[in-house]
């Protein structure tokens, strides 16, 4: 799941199976290779979209922002000098673009979990059990249930932007502290403290919801 | 447990959850767990929360994303190429234009203000708005214009320059008669007429002026006074000849020597002044009516050549002179 230099299978013309790392793909993109561009897009589109969605919480906006992110990155691919990894650079663009867009276009209104559908009530109970009982249901199984995941996502949406971003990058995108620091261009210590506060706040929110 | 200690424990638990805890931190956790078993549950809850977040389903990007990105890139590439070149040229020219306009504005605005102030200070007092005037007032103005026209104008190349004034109580008849004679001589003169004064200004060769004067001899008897004002060379030493005769004017008109002209004018002035005193009553008694009331009955000029067509006359080589004829209305005979 991690970024950096990794292999990717890029299917082209439904027959050629090309395996390239980010550095090679970026070089080919810099030479104007549209195949390599497509490979980069296919490789990262879901992950970028997922992070943006967790930040913005809106599918339409996320789709537009993801598209804009790739357009921006590929437009300025020649200015990429490889000082950081392409993965970090891509997510920096995505996160900054998302945050700016969210600030400019709309303020994320706090999601009132009280207003959630009654269908979520049953899911809340399951989620509470997961968080309370170490020997209970596997969290991974619970997370796949749509209503439960929706509660968690909504709770993430209630966090402050700076906390939400750090939490999403760490616990959902599984980035290292260093990568998060590079993406957000902040100190690692800041990442650590923000993450600590974000997790504590999320725990509070979930407890409030689930009680 | 104070706030700082809670934060320290929170960060310790986070490091443990993220697998970043050092040996010293793990020892510290074990020590804390002995005294506070709840901390173990807290760590477990944090781990489950992390697993839950990590297990959240990945939202898939729209299937058409790659295609849309490619299309957007191609569109931008096409538009960007055009826009790039246009932007470079248009941007540069626009920038230059803006700078020029800004500079011009910066210069012209203070200059305009300064000019306005200077003009306001230096401009003469305005005559005021135009007003409509009555007929009487208009006539008065024309009178003053006539006087202005009679103001001596010095012309050193023109030996004779005079103002011939007929004072008569039959101003209209005399004026019409003179105008006809002027026309007959082929001389152009646009008269200035008011109720009491008619003025003609004629600039022509001396010979023609002399002939014209000759043709006007019949006017004399109908005038109370005919005087000639000969303008001097400097404009200030005019000689007024009272009771001037047509022949005297003709002599003066053809005189091309300025000094002689002055001398003759001076002599006529003195002579006529004496005559005026001695024979005023006698001349008045001899006046005869020659029929000025009706222009057709007016006797035609006696001097030869007056009926000749102007175009048939030889071109005169004499210098042009100026004669202004003024016919003034007098009251009573």
């Amino acid at each position: 799941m991690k970024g950096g230099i990794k292999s990717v299978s890029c299917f082209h013309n439904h027959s050629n199976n090309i395996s390239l790392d980010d550095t090679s793909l970026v070089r080919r993109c810099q030479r104007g290779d549209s195949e390599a561009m497509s490979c980069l897009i296919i490789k990262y589109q879901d992950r970028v979209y997922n992070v943006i969605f967790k930040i913005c919480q809106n599918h339409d906006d996320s789709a537009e922002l993801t598209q804009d992110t790739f357009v921006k990155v590929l437009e300025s691919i020649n200015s990429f000098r490889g000082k950081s990894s392409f993965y970090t650079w891509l997510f920096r663009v995505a996160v900054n673009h998302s945050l700016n867009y969210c600030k400019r276009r709309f303020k994320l209104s706090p999601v009132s979990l009280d207003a959630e559908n009654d269908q979520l009530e049953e899911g809340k109970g399951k989620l509470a059990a997961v968080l309370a009982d170490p020997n209970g249901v596997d969290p991974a199984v619970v997370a796949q249930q749509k209503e439960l995941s929706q509660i968690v996502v909504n709770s993430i949406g209630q966090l402050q932007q700076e906390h939400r971003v750090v939490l999403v990058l760490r616990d959902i995108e599984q980035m290292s502290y260093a990568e998060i620091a590079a993406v957000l261009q902040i100190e690692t210590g800041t990442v650590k403290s923000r993450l600590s506060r974000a997790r504590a706040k999320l725990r509070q929110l979930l407890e409030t919801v689930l009680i | 447990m104070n706030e700082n200690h809670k934060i320290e424990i929170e960060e310790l638990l986070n490091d443990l959850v993220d697998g970043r805890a050092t040996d010293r931190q793990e020892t510290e956790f074990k020590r804390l767990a002995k005294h506070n078993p709840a901390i173990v549950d807290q760590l477990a809850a944090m781990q489950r929360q992390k697993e839950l977040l990590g297990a959240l389903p990945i939202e898939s990007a729209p299937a058409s994303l790659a295609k849309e990105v490619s299309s957007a890139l191609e569109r931008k590439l096409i538009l960007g190429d055009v826009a790039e070149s246009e932007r470079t040229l248009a941007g540069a020219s626009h920038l230059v234009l803006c700078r020029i306009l800004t500079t011009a504005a910066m210069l012209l605005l203070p200059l305009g203000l300064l000019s306005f102030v200077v003009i306001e200070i230096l401009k003469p007092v305005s005559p005021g708005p135009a007003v409509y005037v009555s007929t009487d007032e208009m006539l008065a103005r024309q009178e003053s214009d006539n006087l202005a026209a009679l103001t001596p104008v010095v012309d050193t190349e023109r030996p004779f320059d005079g103002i011939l004034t007929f004072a008569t109580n039959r101003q209209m008849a005399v004026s019409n008669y003179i105008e006809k004679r002027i026309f007959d001589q082929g001389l152009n003169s646009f008269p200035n007429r008011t109720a009491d004064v008619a003025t003609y200004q004629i600039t022509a060769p001396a010979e023609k002026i002399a002939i014209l004067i000759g043709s006007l001899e019949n006017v004399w008897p109908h005038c109370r006074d005919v005087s000639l004002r000969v303008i001097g060379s400097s404009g200030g030493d005019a000689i007024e000849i009272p009771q001037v005769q047509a022949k005297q004017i003709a002599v003066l008109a053809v005189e091309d020597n300025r000094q002689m002209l002055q001398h003759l004018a001076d002599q006529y002035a003195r002579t006529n002044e004496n005559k005026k005193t001695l024979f005023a009553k006698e001349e008045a008694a001899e006046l005869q009516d020659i029929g000025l009331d009706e222009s057709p009955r007016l006797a035609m000029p006696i001097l030869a050549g007056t009926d000749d067509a102007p175009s048939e006359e030889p071109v005169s080589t004499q210098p042009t002179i100026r004669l202004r004829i003024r016919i003034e209305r007098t009251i009573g005979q």
Side-chain angles (χ1 to χ4, degrees):
Chain A
M1 193 88 179
K2 284 258 183 121
I5 298 173
K6 60 187 83 168
S7 296
V8 59
S9 294
C10 184
F11 296 93
H12 181 65
N13 291 338
H14 308 286
S15 57
N16 298 329
N17 191 343
I18 306 164
S19 181
L20 289 170
D21 58 51
D22 284 358
T23 310
S24 303
L25 285 171
V26 168
R27 279 182 192 158
R28 284 177 54 189
C29 287
Q30 287 174 335
R31 289 196 295 268
D33 186 340
S34 57
E35 258 183 55
M37 291 181 187
S38 297
C39 284
L40 277 177
I41 294 167
I42 291 166
K43 180 180 176 182
Y44 285 112
Q45 62 178 4
D46 286 346
R47 292 169 65 183
V48 170
Y49 180 84
N50 191 46
V51 165
I52 289 174
F53 175 73
K54 295 296 189 301
I55 293 170
C56 289
Q57 312 245 315
N58 179 291
H59 283 289
D60 292 336
D61 290 339
S62 301
E64 192 179 334
L65 289 168
T66 306
Q67 183 182 322
D68 289 349
T69 299
F70 278 109
V71 170
K72 270 189 172 187
V73 163
L74 293 173
E75 257 188 334
S76 54
I77 194 79
N78 287 326
S79 66
F80 178 68
R81 295 283 173 260
K83 288 179 181 175
S84 61
S85 68
F86 174 76
Y87 166 79
T88 308
W89 185 51
L90 174 65
F91 275 83
R92 186 187 304 155
V93 174
V95 168
N96 287 337
H97 192 41
S98 304
L99 292 177
N100 289 337
Y101 184 86
C102 290
K103 282 178 191 171
R104 196 171 61 246
R105 296 294 177 192
F106 61 92
K107 288 185 177 178
L108 281 172
S109 56
V111 180
S112 171
L113 295 180
D114 296 336
E116 288 295 324
N117 196 309
D118 291 340
Q119 290 179 347
L120 296 177
E121 290 302 319
E122 189 186 350
K124 288 177 185 176
K126 286 182 186 174
L127 192 57
V130 167
L131 294 172
D133 182 8
N135 301 316
V137 189
D138 184 0
V141 174
V142 174
Q144 297 307 312
Q145 297 180 25
K146 194 179 176 184
E147 65 273 22
L148 298 182
S149 66
Q150 189 61 49
I151 292 171
V152 177
V153 170
N154 287 347
S155 300
I156 292 169
Q158 293 206 330
L159 296 174
Q160 287 179 20
Q161 273 198 358
E162 58 181 18
H163 293 162
R164 183 164 66 231
V165 171
V166 172
L167 187 79
V168 168
L169 293 179
R170 175 62 193 161
D171 287 346
I172 295 175
E173 181 53 30
Q174 311 281 326
M175 280 188 183
S176 69
Y177 281 39
E179 284 172 333
I180 296 168
V183 167
L184 299 178
Q185 294 179 300
I186 54 177
E187 296 296 324
T188 311
T190 309
V191 175
K192 189 178 173 181
S193 60
R194 281 187 190 177
L195 183 62
S196 175
R197 278 184 228 133
R199 281 171 174 167
K201 182 67 182 172
L202 181 65
R203 196 163 64 248
Q204 281 179 8
L205 286 169
L206 289 173
E207 281 171 3
T208 308
V209 171
L210 299 174
I211 286 170
Chain B
M1 192 183 292
N2 61 23
E3 194 64 28
N4 285 339
H5 189 61
K6 277 176 75 175
I7 292 170
E8 282 176 9
I9 291 173
E10 195 77 35
E11 289 188 353
L12 172 63
L13 294 176
N14 270 292
D15 285 339
L16 287 166
V17 166
D18 286 332
R20 289 165 44 91
T22 59
D23 292 342
R24 195 179 64 78
Q25 283 177 311
E26 285 182 2
T27 308
E28 176 67 12
F29 174 73
K30 285 173 186 172
R31 188 184 66 79
L32 287 170
K34 280 181 186 174
H35 295 92
N36 184 12
I39 206 168
V40 179
D41 294 338
Q42 190 179 346
L43 177 65
M46 286 176 69
Q47 281 173 333
R48 284 194 298 279
Q49 180 179 296
K50 181 180 165 67
E51 286 173 29
L52 184 65
L53 291 173
L56 284 173
I58 293 177
E59 302 289 342
S60 295
S64 59
L65 182 75
K67 194 178 174 183
E68 284 173 7
V69 170
S70 298
S71 301
L73 278 172
E74 284 172 12
R75 196 164 51 245
K76 281 203 168 191
L77 195 68
I78 293 165
L79 295 175
D81 282 345
V82 178
E84 190 73 26
S85 57
E86 282 180 355
R87 194 162 48 238
T88 309
L89 289 172
S93 60
H94 183 255
L95 191 63
V96 169
L97 184 65
C98 282
R99 283 179 180 171
I100 289 169
L101 288 175
T102 307
T103 310
M106 286 172 68
L107 290 173
L108 289 178
L109 193 63
L111 274 176
L113 286 172
L114 188 64
S115 303
F116 177 75
V117 171
V118 170
I119 288 168
E120 282 296 311
I121 293 168
L122 296 181
K123 77 174 181 185
V125 179
S126 169
V131 291
Y132 291 103
V133 294
S134 65
T135 308
D136 291 340
E137 196 176 347
M138 185 69 79
L139 290 172
R141 284 185 186 179
Q142 284 182 356
E143 173 68 10
S144 66
D145 289 343
N146 291 341
L147 289 173
L150 293 173
T151 304
V153 176
V154 180
D155 188 343
T156 53
E157 292 185 358
R158 188 179 290 137
F160 178 83
D161 185 3
I163 302 169
L164 178 60
T165 304
F166 295 95
T168 176
N169 61 343
R170 310 178 72 178
Q171 187 245 358
M172 282 299 293
V174 171
S175 176
N176 288 338
Y177 182 81
I178 291 172
E179 190 171 327
K180 191 171 188 315
R181 299 286 78 75
I182 291 169
F183 179 78
D184 288 344
Q185 291 298 321
L187 302 171
N188 291 323
S189 174
F190 296 99
N192 274 325
R193 291 178 188 273
T194 65
D196 296 325
V197 180
T199 309
Y200 302 89
Q201 178 168 304
I202 304 156
T203 303
E207 193 178 58
K208 276 204 163 189
I209 296 284
I211 294 168
L212 172 68
I213 295 298
S215 71
L216 297 179
E217 271 187 326
N218 287 342
V219 174
W220 259 254
H222 298 277
C223 296
R224 171 174 280 186
D225 184 26
V226 182
S227 64
L228 177 68
R229 184 180 177 85
V230 179
I231 310 303
S233 59
S234 62
D237 52 349
I239 300 167
E240 186 78 26
I241 306 172
Q243 302 289 356
V244 69
Q245 298 300 309
K247 287 177 184 173
Q248 291 176 338
I249 299 168
V251 171
L252 291 172
V254 296
E255 180 56 58
D256 56 359
N257 185 293
R258 167 65 68 174
Q259 283 185 337
M260 183 57 75
L261 175 66
Q262 291 285 102
H263 175 73
L264 284 172
D266 197 37
Q267 200 171 21
Y268 289 151
R270 283 200 300 271
T271 306
N272 291 3
E273 188 63 40
N274 293 334
K275 272 188 188 176
K276 186 180 177 182
T277 309
L278 291 172
F279 304 110
K281 288 181 182 178
E282 193 177 333
E283 283 182 1
E286 289 176 359
L287 280 174
Q288 292 177 1
D289 188 357
I290 58 169
L292 278 176
D293 291 336
E294 295 175 36
S295 294
R297 287 165 51 201
L298 197 64
M300 295 305 291
I302 297 166
L303 293 180
T306 53
D307 290 334
D308 294 343
S311 58
E312 293 171 3
E313 291 178 2
V315 177
S316 174
T317 54
Q318 284 190 311
T320 58
I321 61 171
R322 180 166 60 181
L323 177 66
R324 280 159 283 184
I325 301 173
R326 179 178 164 87
I327 302 105
E328 293 179 350
R329 181 190 299 279
T330 59
I331 298 168
Q333 182 66 32

